[in-house]
Amino acid sequence: MSVTVRELAEMSHLQLSIAAGSTGLDRVVAWAHTSDIEEPWRFLVGGELLMTNGLSVPKAAAAQGRFVRQLHENGAVALVIGEEMYAPPISRTMLRTCDELGFPLLWIAYPKPFVAVAREIAEATQVEQSSRLRRTERMYRAMHRAADEETGFPGLIDAISAELECEVRVCIGETGENWAPGQPPMPAVVREAIGQHEGSVRAGATSIDLPDGRRALLLDLPAQPDAVLVALPVAGRMPDLLLLQHAATIGALAVSQLRLGIEYRRRFGAELLNQMLDGKADSAEAARALEDAGIDLAQAVLVAARNEQRPERLAELHVRLWQAESPHLTIRRGETSFVVLPAEPRMLDALGHAVGDAGCAGASNPIGSIGRLVRAREEAGWALRAAEGRNARWVAYADTSLELGPRGPEEARLLIDRVLGPVLGNAGGPAELMATLEAFLEHGRSWRATAETLHLHRHTVMYRIRKIEELTGHDLSETGDLARLWLAVQAYRQLRDER
């Protein structure tokens, strides 16, 4: 059972009179809503008869026209204003706009209470309210079943879609891709629109017009900042937005359950990887764990990643790799994350995207065996430092070249010993000499800039540089000697940062 605006206007005891918009009197009223706040349309969910004492009605004629247009576009079916209350004079513009839109504007006689109208609507819509309650209950039951059934999360989303009578997805807000695997991919046009995430807000939902003429509704998931609920209405029919709010809550709870499982696997993998990187893992036990995780070391690499601008992205690496259905082990050590994963382009691309544009990553050669993981850690770290030196997003150890100096820790140590060995072995203070040399090279061999940076007298800097030239046998005014010293300092820094 339902009630129209016309039927309400014909109930004499409600004392309603029609002021404008009479062509829309056959609109069906879902419920009544009372509001005197500014921009009440932001809190509508569709189907409301809005009742007001007039405080929210603007005074200017043009503003009044926009006011009723916003109510109409955001789902209100009619506006009821209390007579002899606080409404400003109603302009011809407002009346004309109501007539153009077929948006009924009614007066309610003073002192008739709004609750009388609300009661009539509530009694007339009991059947619809009962249906909404049953559909809500079925969605929550589907959430409980999802934890036990093989269909899991995709099955839950299918159940919610059926209750809302439209396509529903839980997506990554940044990319528009499915938050959890197992669902058909989102069309590109929808993914791009979700990634932009701009539109008008209505009852907590963001309405986005898609380039193909459809409309999408986006709701943020409570306590899940990276996820959004997306509803794609069928044939322009908007879903029940109250049910959609329940669906967002259910989606948030389901994502939270998935995160618990992902985090449990991350912690187990991190403990194993920590032991293997330090060469302390039991080989047989580690081999079984790697097999269970779906990782073949012969086809896997170790990646070292950093993102100093957005370090929070590294905290989500394991989630993003799970979403990409990539087997992996990951651990965070200081500002660097280490990840073991198959050397497949799709999975490496997923890792690179997860690290972010502001981050850098370096990949080792294929690991091959558990015993080579310690060496792979050095390779990955070296490749990461090369990526940072080149300001590149990704560098593989195999692609590091002599243009940045030695290709690995062994070559670096050899270069340091040959060039800087006398400085590092100097009993008179190798740390002070090295700090001075680094600053001197960083500042283009400027005595003044080096002195200011180290808070030293210029003559002290000159003394130390002369001492370094004496110990190393290299003249910093000679191009060849300068190049060797610069390469040795870069190698020294890389090994120091790897400690």
Side-chain angles (χ1 to χ4, degrees), residues 465-493:
I465 293 299
R466 297 291 179 250
K467 183 68 174 179
I468 291 169
E469 290 179 326
E470 177 185 335
L471 290 170
T472 62
H474 286 67
D475 185 346
L476 281 164
S477 65
E478 295 290 334
T479 302
D481 288 353
L482 174 63
R484 281 187 288 274
L485 279 168
W486 184 85
L487 289 173
V489 167
Q490 302 315 304
Y492 173 79
R493 282 179 165 178

PDB file of all heavy atoms in Angstrom, residues 465-493:
ATOM      1  N   ILE A 465      90.663  18.370   3.547  1.00  0.00           N
ATOM      2  CA  ILE A 465      90.679  17.940   2.152  1.00  0.00           C
ATOM      3  C   ILE A 465      92.116  17.638   1.706  1.00  0.00           C
ATOM      4  O   ILE A 465      92.374  16.647   1.011  1.00  0.00           O
ATOM      5  CB  ILE A 465      90.043  19.004   1.240  1.00  0.00           C
ATOM      6  CG1 ILE A 465      88.551  19.124   1.549  1.00  0.00           C
ATOM      7  CG2 ILE A 465      90.264  18.672  -0.232  1.00  0.00           C
ATOM      8  CD1 ILE A 465      87.761  17.848   1.330  1.00  0.00           C
ATOM      9  N   ARG A 466      93.048  18.468   2.130  1.00  0.00           N
ATOM     10  CA  ARG A 466      94.460  18.210   1.796  1.00  0.00           C
ATOM     11  C   ARG A 466      94.922  16.889   2.435  1.00  0.00           C
ATOM     12  O   ARG A 466      95.680  16.132   1.833  1.00  0.00           O
ATOM     13  CB  ARG A 466      95.345  19.359   2.292  1.00  0.00           C
ATOM     14  CG  ARG A 466      95.039  20.702   1.639  1.00  0.00           C
ATOM     15  CD  ARG A 466      95.454  20.704   0.174  1.00  0.00           C
ATOM     16  NE  ARG A 466      95.133  21.988  -0.453  1.00  0.00           N
ATOM     17  CZ  ARG A 466      94.193  22.156  -1.354  1.00  0.00           C
ATOM     18  NH1 ARG A 466      93.466  21.114  -1.749  1.00  0.00           N
ATOM     19  NH2 ARG A 466      93.974  23.335  -1.898  1.00  0.00           N
ATOM     20  N   LYS A 467      94.441  16.610   3.630  1.00  0.00           N
ATOM     21  CA  LYS A 467      94.780  15.360   4.306  1.00  0.00           C
ATOM     22  C   LYS A 467      94.231  14.162   3.531  1.00  0.00           C
ATOM     23  O   LYS A 467      94.909  13.144   3.367  1.00  0.00           O
ATOM     24  CB  LYS A 467      94.209  15.385   5.725  1.00  0.00           C
ATOM     25  CG  LYS A 467      94.546  14.161   6.561  1.00  0.00           C
ATOM     26  CD  LYS A 467      96.032  14.084   6.898  1.00  0.00           C
ATOM     27  CE  LYS A 467      96.339  12.956   7.839  1.00  0.00           C
ATOM     28  NZ  LYS A 467      97.782  12.865   8.161  1.00  0.00           N
ATOM     29  N   ILE A 468      92.988  14.278   3.041  1.00  0.00           N
ATOM     30  CA  ILE A 468      92.378  13.195   2.259  1.00  0.00           C
ATOM     31  C   ILE A 468      93.163  12.957   0.974  1.00  0.00           C
ATOM     32  O   ILE A 468      93.429  11.813   0.591  1.00  0.00           O
ATOM     33  CB  ILE A 468      90.903  13.540   1.942  1.00  0.00           C
ATOM     34  CG1 ILE A 468      90.060  13.503   3.236  1.00  0.00           C
ATOM     35  CG2 ILE A 468      90.314  12.594   0.901  1.00  0.00           C
ATOM     36  CD1 ILE A 468      88.668  14.082   3.089  1.00  0.00           C
ATOM     37  N   GLU A 469      93.558  14.048   0.301  1.00  0.00           N
ATOM     38  CA  GLU A 469      94.332  13.901  -0.930  1.00  0.00           C
ATOM     39  C   GLU A 469      95.669  13.228  -0.645  1.00  0.00           C
ATOM     40  O   GLU A 469      96.146  12.387  -1.422  1.00  0.00           O
ATOM     41  CB  GLU A 469      94.550  15.279  -1.566  1.00  0.00           C
ATOM     42  CG  GLU A 469      93.279  15.886  -2.147  1.00  0.00           C
ATOM     43  CD  GLU A 469      93.522  17.256  -2.744  1.00  0.00           C
ATOM     44  OE1 GLU A 469      94.371  18.002  -2.199  1.00  0.00           O
ATOM     45  OE2 GLU A 469      92.875  17.592  -3.752  1.00  0.00           O
ATOM     46  N   GLU A 470      96.250  13.568   0.501  1.00  0.00           N
ATOM     47  CA  GLU A 470      97.544  12.973   0.870  1.00  0.00           C
ATOM     48  C   GLU A 470      97.396  11.488   1.156  1.00  0.00           C
ATOM     49  O   GLU A 470      98.217  10.661   0.720  1.00  0.00           O
ATOM     50  CB  GLU A 470      98.093  13.699   2.099  1.00  0.00           C
ATOM     51  CG  GLU A 470      99.404  13.126   2.622  1.00  0.00           C
ATOM     52  CD  GLU A 470      99.849  13.790   3.910  1.00  0.00           C
ATOM     53  OE1 GLU A 470      99.455  14.956   4.158  1.00  0.00           O
ATOM     54  OE2 GLU A 470     100.567  13.132   4.689  1.00  0.00           O
ATOM     55  N   LEU A 471      96.335  11.108   1.903  1.00  0.00           N
ATOM     56  CA  LEU A 471      96.135   9.698   2.260  1.00  0.00           C
ATOM     57  C   LEU A 471      95.780   8.840   1.054  1.00  0.00           C
ATOM     58  O   LEU A 471      96.233   7.694   0.944  1.00  0.00           O
ATOM     59  CB  LEU A 471      95.026   9.589   3.312  1.00  0.00           C
ATOM     60  CG  LEU A 471      95.355  10.112   4.721  1.00  0.00           C
ATOM     61  CD1 LEU A 471      94.093  10.166   5.573  1.00  0.00           C
ATOM     62  CD2 LEU A 471      96.415   9.216   5.384  1.00  0.00           C
ATOM     63  N   THR A 472      94.933   9.364   0.169  1.00  0.00           N
ATOM     64  CA  THR A 472      94.439   8.560  -0.964  1.00  0.00           C
ATOM     65  C   THR A 472      95.328   8.647  -2.195  1.00  0.00           C
ATOM     66  O   THR A 472      95.242   7.794  -3.082  1.00  0.00           O
ATOM     67  CB  THR A 472      93.021   9.018  -1.370  1.00  0.00           C
ATOM     68  OG1 THR A 472      93.075  10.393  -1.801  1.00  0.00           O
ATOM     69  CG2 THR A 472      92.055   8.878  -0.206  1.00  0.00           C
ATOM     70  N   GLY A 473      96.150   9.671  -2.262  1.00  0.00           N
ATOM     71  CA  GLY A 473      96.946   9.860  -3.459  1.00  0.00           C
ATOM     72  C   GLY A 473      96.131  10.380  -4.628  1.00  0.00           C
ATOM     73  O   GLY A 473      96.545  10.244  -5.783  1.00  0.00           O
ATOM     74  N   HIS A 474      94.968  10.940  -4.334  1.00  0.00           N
ATOM     75  CA  HIS A 474      94.082  11.464  -5.375  1.00  0.00           C
ATOM     76  C   HIS A 474      93.996  12.981  -5.249  1.00  0.00           C
ATOM     77  O   HIS A 474      93.819  13.509  -4.148  1.00  0.00           O
ATOM     78  CB  HIS A 474      92.677  10.864  -5.250  1.00  0.00           C
ATOM     79  CG  HIS A 474      92.595   9.441  -5.702  1.00  0.00           C
ATOM     80  ND1 HIS A 474      93.216   8.413  -5.036  1.00  0.00           N
ATOM     81  CD2 HIS A 474      91.964   8.870  -6.766  1.00  0.00           C
ATOM     82  CE1 HIS A 474      92.957   7.261  -5.642  1.00  0.00           C
ATOM     83  NE2 HIS A 474      92.204   7.510  -6.701  1.00  0.00           N
ATOM     84  N   ASP A 475      94.092  13.647  -6.405  1.00  0.00           N
ATOM     85  CA  ASP A 475      94.025  15.106  -6.461  1.00  0.00           C
ATOM     86  C   ASP A 475      92.614  15.506  -6.904  1.00  0.00           C
ATOM     87  O   ASP A 475      92.189  15.189  -8.024  1.00  0.00           O
ATOM     88  CB  ASP A 475      95.062  15.628  -7.449  1.00  0.00           C
ATOM     89  CG  ASP A 475      95.144  17.154  -7.469  1.00  0.00           C
ATOM     90  OD1 ASP A 475      94.230  17.802  -6.921  1.00  0.00           O
ATOM     91  OD2 ASP A 475      96.114  17.677  -8.055  1.00  0.00           O
ATOM     92  N   LEU A 476      91.883  16.190  -6.044  1.00  0.00           N
ATOM     93  CA  LEU A 476      90.491  16.546  -6.339  1.00  0.00           C
ATOM     94  C   LEU A 476      90.356  17.603  -7.432  1.00  0.00           C
ATOM     95  O   LEU A 476      89.236  17.904  -7.867  1.00  0.00           O
ATOM     96  CB  LEU A 476      89.786  17.026  -5.064  1.00  0.00           C
ATOM     97  CG  LEU A 476      89.326  15.893  -4.133  1.00  0.00           C
ATOM     98  CD1 LEU A 476      88.997  16.426  -2.756  1.00  0.00           C
ATOM     99  CD2 LEU A 476      88.126  15.177  -4.725  1.00  0.00           C
ATOM    100  N   SER A 477      91.456  18.145  -7.885  1.00  0.00           N
ATOM    101  CA  SER A 477      91.396  19.065  -9.021  1.00  0.00           C
ATOM    102  C   SER A 477      91.571  18.328 -10.345  1.00  0.00           C
ATOM    103  O   SER A 477      91.389  18.910 -11.411  1.00  0.00           O
ATOM    104  CB  SER A 477      92.472  20.150  -8.887  1.00  0.00           C
ATOM    105  OG  SER A 477      93.777  19.576  -8.957  1.00  0.00           O
ATOM    106  N   GLU A 478      91.902  17.027 -10.275  1.00  0.00           N
ATOM    107  CA  GLU A 478      92.058  16.205 -11.464  1.00  0.00           C
ATOM    108  C   GLU A 478      90.759  15.437 -11.715  1.00  0.00           C
ATOM    109  O   GLU A 478      90.213  14.805 -10.810  1.00  0.00           O
ATOM    110  CB  GLU A 478      93.220  15.219 -11.302  1.00  0.00           C
ATOM    111  CG  GLU A 478      94.583  15.871 -11.190  1.00  0.00           C
ATOM    112  CD  GLU A 478      94.998  16.478 -12.524  1.00  0.00           C
ATOM    113  OE1 GLU A 478      94.511  15.991 -13.578  1.00  0.00           O
ATOM    114  OE2 GLU A 478      95.805  17.430 -12.522  1.00  0.00           O
ATOM    115  N   THR A 479      90.270  15.465 -12.962  1.00  0.00           N
ATOM    116  CA  THR A 479      88.974  14.862 -13.285  1.00  0.00           C
ATOM    117  C   THR A 479      88.944  13.374 -12.969  1.00  0.00           C
ATOM    118  O   THR A 479      87.982  12.864 -12.382  1.00  0.00           O
ATOM    119  CB  THR A 479      88.636  15.088 -14.767  1.00  0.00           C
ATOM    120  OG1 THR A 479      88.621  16.478 -15.041  1.00  0.00           O
ATOM    121  CG2 THR A 479      87.270  14.490 -15.108  1.00  0.00           C
ATOM    122  N   GLY A 480      89.970  12.632 -13.372  1.00  0.00           N
ATOM    123  CA  GLY A 480      89.981  11.195 -13.130  1.00  0.00           C
ATOM    124  C   GLY A 480      89.961  10.866 -11.652  1.00  0.00           C
ATOM    125  O   GLY A 480      89.203   9.994 -11.194  1.00  0.00           O
ATOM    126  N   ASP A 481      90.805  11.552 -10.861  1.00  0.00           N
ATOM    127  CA  ASP A 481      90.843  11.309  -9.415  1.00  0.00           C
ATOM    128  C   ASP A 481      89.507  11.695  -8.773  1.00  0.00           C
ATOM    129  O   ASP A 481      89.003  10.996  -7.875  1.00  0.00           O
ATOM    130  CB  ASP A 481      91.975  12.117  -8.782  1.00  0.00           C
ATOM    131  CG  ASP A 481      93.346  11.555  -9.133  1.00  0.00           C
ATOM    132  OD1 ASP A 481      93.390  10.478  -9.757  1.00  0.00           O
ATOM    133  OD2 ASP A 481      94.344  12.199  -8.791  1.00  0.00           O
ATOM    134  N   LEU A 482      88.958  12.803  -9.228  1.00  0.00           N
ATOM    135  CA  LEU A 482      87.666  13.247  -8.687  1.00  0.00           C
ATOM    136  C   LEU A 482      86.588  12.203  -8.941  1.00  0.00           C
ATOM    137  O   LEU A 482      85.783  11.898  -8.050  1.00  0.00           O
ATOM    138  CB  LEU A 482      87.283  14.586  -9.329  1.00  0.00           C
ATOM    139  CG  LEU A 482      85.879  15.127  -8.986  1.00  0.00           C
ATOM    140  CD1 LEU A 482      85.771  15.417  -7.504  1.00  0.00           C
ATOM    141  CD2 LEU A 482      85.577  16.378  -9.804  1.00  0.00           C
ATOM    142  N   ALA A 483      86.544  11.627 -10.161  1.00  0.00           N
ATOM    143  CA  ALA A 483      85.531  10.630 -10.501  1.00  0.00           C
ATOM    144  C   ALA A 483      85.665   9.401  -9.612  1.00  0.00           C
ATOM    145  O   ALA A 483      84.667   8.860  -9.114  1.00  0.00           O
ATOM    146  CB  ALA A 483      85.644  10.248 -11.974  1.00  0.00           C
ATOM    147  N   ARG A 484      86.905   8.932  -9.398  1.00  0.00           N
ATOM    148  CA  ARG A 484      87.091   7.749  -8.555  1.00  0.00           C
ATOM    149  C   ARG A 484      86.665   8.009  -7.112  1.00  0.00           C
ATOM    150  O   ARG A 484      86.049   7.162  -6.472  1.00  0.00           O
ATOM    151  CB  ARG A 484      88.551   7.295  -8.628  1.00  0.00           C
ATOM    152  CG  ARG A 484      88.881   6.500  -9.887  1.00  0.00           C
ATOM    153  CD  ARG A 484      90.301   5.933  -9.828  1.00  0.00           C
ATOM    154  NE  ARG A 484      91.301   6.986  -9.999  1.00  0.00           N
ATOM    155  CZ  ARG A 484      91.737   7.415 -11.180  1.00  0.00           C
ATOM    156  NH1 ARG A 484      91.259   6.892 -12.289  1.00  0.00           N
ATOM    157  NH2 ARG A 484      92.652   8.363 -11.262  1.00  0.00           N
ATOM    158  N   LEU A 485      87.016   9.180  -6.594  1.00  0.00           N
ATOM    159  CA  LEU A 485      86.605   9.505  -5.229  1.00  0.00           C
ATOM    160  C   LEU A 485      85.086   9.612  -5.112  1.00  0.00           C
ATOM    161  O   LEU A 485      84.501   9.151  -4.137  1.00  0.00           O
ATOM    162  CB  LEU A 485      87.265  10.813  -4.790  1.00  0.00           C
ATOM    163  CG  LEU A 485      88.705  10.707  -4.303  1.00  0.00           C
ATOM    164  CD1 LEU A 485      89.335  12.081  -4.174  1.00  0.00           C
ATOM    165  CD2 LEU A 485      88.760   9.968  -2.961  1.00  0.00           C
ATOM    166  N   TRP A 486      84.449  10.210  -6.122  1.00  0.00           N
ATOM    167  CA  TRP A 486      82.991  10.354  -6.078  1.00  0.00           C
ATOM    168  C   TRP A 486      82.315   8.991  -6.107  1.00  0.00           C
ATOM    169  O   TRP A 486      81.401   8.717  -5.328  1.00  0.00           O
ATOM    170  CB  TRP A 486      82.519  11.197  -7.259  1.00  0.00           C
ATOM    171  CG  TRP A 486      81.038  11.468  -7.216  1.00  0.00           C
ATOM    172  CD1 TRP A 486      80.392  12.450  -6.553  1.00  0.00           C
ATOM    173  CD2 TRP A 486      80.023  10.704  -7.885  1.00  0.00           C
ATOM    174  NE1 TRP A 486      79.039  12.363  -6.732  1.00  0.00           N
ATOM    175  CE2 TRP A 486      78.782  11.282  -7.555  1.00  0.00           C
ATOM    176  CE3 TRP A 486      80.043   9.590  -8.725  1.00  0.00           C
ATOM    177  CZ2 TRP A 486      77.574  10.798  -8.036  1.00  0.00           C
ATOM    178  CZ3 TRP A 486      78.844   9.088  -9.206  1.00  0.00           C
ATOM    179  CH2 TRP A 486      77.627   9.688  -8.869  1.00  0.00           C
ATOM    180  N   LEU A 487      82.767   8.074  -6.993  1.00  0.00           N
ATOM    181  CA  LEU A 487      82.197   6.731  -7.062  1.00  0.00           C
ATOM    182  C   LEU A 487      82.422   5.978  -5.748  1.00  0.00           C
ATOM    183  O   LEU A 487      81.529   5.259  -5.270  1.00  0.00           O
ATOM    184  CB  LEU A 487      82.809   5.951  -8.223  1.00  0.00           C
ATOM    185  CG  LEU A 487      82.394   6.402  -9.633  1.00  0.00           C
ATOM    186  CD1 LEU A 487      83.200   5.645 -10.678  1.00  0.00           C
ATOM    187  CD2 LEU A 487      80.899   6.160  -9.847  1.00  0.00           C
ATOM    188  N   ALA A 488      83.582   6.120  -5.173  1.00  0.00           N
ATOM    189  CA  ALA A 488      83.870   5.435  -3.913  1.00  0.00           C
ATOM    190  C   ALA A 488      82.976   5.954  -2.787  1.00  0.00           C
ATOM    191  O   ALA A 488      82.502   5.180  -1.944  1.00  0.00           O
ATOM    192  CB  ALA A 488      85.341   5.610  -3.553  1.00  0.00           C
ATOM    193  N   VAL A 489      82.731   7.266  -2.764  1.00  0.00           N
ATOM    194  CA  VAL A 489      81.851   7.834  -1.738  1.00  0.00           C
ATOM    195  C   VAL A 489      80.425   7.322  -1.917  1.00  0.00           C
ATOM    196  O   VAL A 489      79.732   7.010  -0.943  1.00  0.00           O
ATOM    197  CB  VAL A 489      81.902   9.377  -1.779  1.00  0.00           C
ATOM    198  CG1 VAL A 489      80.770   9.973  -0.937  1.00  0.00           C
ATOM    199  CG2 VAL A 489      83.249   9.864  -1.273  1.00  0.00           C
ATOM    200  N   GLN A 490      79.935   7.226  -3.178  1.00  0.00           N
ATOM    201  CA  GLN A 490      78.590   6.700  -3.413  1.00  0.00           C
ATOM    202  C   GLN A 490      78.492   5.252  -2.939  1.00  0.00           C
ATOM    203  O   GLN A 490      77.498   4.837  -2.329  1.00  0.00           O
ATOM    204  CB  GLN A 490      78.225   6.798  -4.901  1.00  0.00           C
ATOM    205  CG  GLN A 490      78.284   8.197  -5.488  1.00  0.00           C
ATOM    206  CD  GLN A 490      77.622   9.236  -4.591  1.00  0.00           C
ATOM    207  OE1 GLN A 490      76.451   9.115  -4.233  1.00  0.00           O
ATOM    208  NE2 GLN A 490      78.375  10.251  -4.220  1.00  0.00           N
ATOM    209  N   ALA A 491      79.519   4.451  -3.229  1.00  0.00           N
ATOM    210  CA  ALA A 491      79.522   3.061  -2.782  1.00  0.00           C
ATOM    211  C   ALA A 491      79.537   2.984  -1.257  1.00  0.00           C
ATOM    212  O   ALA A 491      78.835   2.164  -0.648  1.00  0.00           O
ATOM    213  CB  ALA A 491      80.731   2.337  -3.375  1.00  0.00           C
ATOM    214  N   TYR A 492      80.318   3.849  -0.638  1.00  0.00           N
ATOM    215  CA  TYR A 492      80.384   3.890   0.826  1.00  0.00           C
ATOM    216  C   TYR A 492      79.011   4.201   1.419  1.00  0.00           C
ATOM    217  O   TYR A 492      78.589   3.584   2.403  1.00  0.00           O
ATOM    218  CB  TYR A 492      81.408   4.952   1.236  1.00  0.00           C
ATOM    219  CG  TYR A 492      81.473   5.238   2.717  1.00  0.00           C
ATOM    220  CD1 TYR A 492      82.153   4.381   3.584  1.00  0.00           C
ATOM    221  CD2 TYR A 492      80.864   6.367   3.245  1.00  0.00           C
ATOM    222  CE1 TYR A 492      82.217   4.638   4.938  1.00  0.00           C
ATOM    223  CE2 TYR A 492      80.923   6.649   4.596  1.00  0.00           C
ATOM    224  CZ  TYR A 492      81.598   5.779   5.441  1.00  0.00           C
ATOM    225  OH  TYR A 492      81.654   6.043   6.780  1.00  0.00           O
ATOM    226  N   ARG A 493      78.311   5.141   0.822  1.00  0.00           N
ATOM    227  CA  ARG A 493      76.984   5.506   1.313  1.00  0.00           C
ATOM    228  C   ARG A 493      76.003   4.351   1.174  1.00  0.00           C
ATOM    229  O   ARG A 493      75.211   4.068   2.068  1.00  0.00           O
ATOM    230  CB  ARG A 493      76.455   6.715   0.528  1.00  0.00           C
ATOM    231  CG  ARG A 493      77.059   8.045   0.956  1.00  0.00           C
ATOM    232  CD  ARG A 493      76.475   9.144   0.107  1.00  0.00           C
ATOM    233  NE  ARG A 493      76.730  10.456   0.661  1.00  0.00           N
ATOM    234  CZ  ARG A 493      76.349  11.589   0.078  1.00  0.00           C
ATOM    235  NH1 ARG A 493      75.718  11.544  -1.098  1.00  0.00           N
ATOM    236  NH2 ARG A 493      76.608  12.748   0.645  1.00  0.00           N
TER     237      ARG A 493
END
